[in-house]
Amino acid sequence: MPTPAASEFTRFFRADDIGALECQAARYVDYSFAPHFHEEYVVNTLLDGVQSYAYQGGQYRAGRGALVLVNPGAVHTGEAGSDGGWAYCGYFPSVTLMRQLAEQLTGRPTEPFFRDTVVVDPDLSVRLARLHHLLRHSDDRLLRESWLHAVLGDVVARHMLGHAPQAVQARHNVERVRQMLADRLADNLSLTELAAVVGLSPYHLNRSFRAAYGLPPIAWRNQLRLVRGRALLGQGVPAGEVASRLGFADQPHFTRAFRQALGITPAAYQQGLGVAPRRALTGS
């Protein structure tokens, strides 16, 4: 049954008692997502409407019943592909969780990788929607965990490779810069400083980094700050402290960036997760 027309919304919840997994239910009509990425995999099933998005140099459309699959670190966008917008339920399974599922299926260490980004799999679409309901509303851990392994296990078995194609592997020097940015998110690093570390000119570093990761270093760092900020908010860290830890100019700067990326404020995100921000520690 199609989802009835409704106002835009987005809701998050976690199922960490059975796996490192964040889930989302959302409807968007006018909202569009700027280029961004996630450290986790993305597994969405479209419940209504049409989504359009850019991914890995291509433009894609997904309609009701289709799966949208995105690999960790892959830059993508998101916008309505029809007048009515689009609605979906989605999952952000951690790299660790998907590796575990892949190893259970293959019997060896495996780096799972989505072959395609839009997949028509009616059986999995229905089961992903059912799993979403169970994870949110059921207290039966055996039932929830059984469904999680069965459904996400089939996602891995049907639609993922054993490893990423060699063409998507970053060059060593660009990977070193990516790791520096990840390790020093709050630091005010310059492009010249980063380029000097790996023996490139700032111009060539910018081009090489974008070719490898889909965003230039500054945009990639800003997106990772939001990814890490989301995790800290989920742990109950106050938004002001998150902003300070991750190098944002101030809390309003963090709030604006977070809302632009996710369509929701940090306070609303924490409220949706049922997380109460803890009090900031004061000095004696």
Side-chain angles (χ1 to χ4, degrees):
M1 179 183 299
T3 305
S7 301
E8 293 188 327
F9 71 89
T10 183
R11 293 190 292 266
F12 293 90
F13 67 93
R14 298 197 65 88
D16 289 339
D17 59 317
I18 57 173
L21 178 65
E22 185 169 79
C23 307
Q24 179 187 19
R27 169 179 283 276
Y28 298 109
V29 180
D30 298 319
Y31 191 82
S32 61
F33 291 90
H36 66 285
F37 66 88
H38 306 274
E39 288 191 298
E40 310 90 352
Y41 293 90
V42 176
V43 179
N44 292 343
T45 182
L46 273 289
L47 303 178
D48 191 29
V50 178
Q51 177 186 359
S52 175
Y53 64 104
Y55 176 75
Q56 301 289 77
Q59 189 70 33
Y60 298 88
R61 289 168 59 87
R64 182 170 177 261
L67 309 186
V68 172
L69 309 174
V70 177
N71 289 300
V75 176
H76 56 286
T77 62
E79 61 187 4
S82 63
D83 291 341
W86 81 104
Y88 64 93
C89 62
Y91 304 84
F92 300 94
S94 69
V95 172
T96 298
L97 174 59
M98 296 298 265
R99 282 175 178 165
Q100 290 172 345
L101 291 171
E103 187 169 351
Q104 291 169 17
L105 288 167
T106 63
R108 55 184 171 78
T110 302
E111 192 73 23
F113 184 85
F114 287 125
R115 301 188 299 270
D116 301 300
T117 183
V118 177
V119 170
V120 178
D121 190 328
D123 167 65
L124 264 181
S125 178
V126 171
R127 291 164 65 208
L128 282 163
R130 174 61 175 161
L131 173 63
H132 207 268
H133 179 83
L134 287 173
L135 292 178
R136 186 168 182 83
H137 298 290
S138 175
D139 294 326
D140 187 333
R141 290 188 64 185
L142 181 58
L143 175 65
R144 296 164 76 242
E145 191 169 11
S146 297
W147 267 76
L148 176 70
H149 281 260
V151 177
L152 288 188
D154 277 354
V155 170
V156 173
R158 297 181 189 183
H159 303 297
M160 306 185 87
L161 295 173
H163 57 82
Q166 188 65 30
V168 306
Q169 300 301 320
R171 287 169 45 187
H172 175 66
N173 55 355
V174 182
E175 168 60 19
R176 284 180 63 195
V177 170
R178 187 200 66 80
Q179 193 60 54
M180 281 184 64
L181 290 171
D183 290 342
R184 299 174 59 184
L185 269 182
D187 291 355
N188 190 19
L189 298 170
S190 71
L191 185 63
T192 299
E193 179 181 357
L194 292 168
V197 169
V198 294
L200 293 175
S201 70
Y203 172 80
H204 283 100
L205 173 59
N206 224 26
R207 289 192 61 183
S208 298
F209 196 100
R210 182 165 193 156
Y213 298 110
L215 292 173
I218 178 62
W220 189 92
R221 185 208 63 185
N222 290 345
Q223 287 297 322
L224 186 58
R225 283 178 171 176
L226 290 171
V227 169
R228 298 283 172 82
R230 179 169 159 185
L232 290 171
L233 289 171
Q235 297 167 19
V237 179
E241 184 178 338
V242 173
S244 177
R245 284 195 198 183
L246 297 179
F248 289 93
D250 50 30
Q251 183 174 337
H253 179 208
F254 172 55
T255 297
R256 288 193 301 272
F258 193 89
R259 184 167 189 171
Q260 182 181 21
L262 291 172
I264 191 173
T265 66
Y269 175 74
Q270 288 184 312
Q271 184 178 12
L273 292 181
V275 173
R278 65 170 186 257
R279 291 188 178 183
L281 298 176
T282 57
S284 55

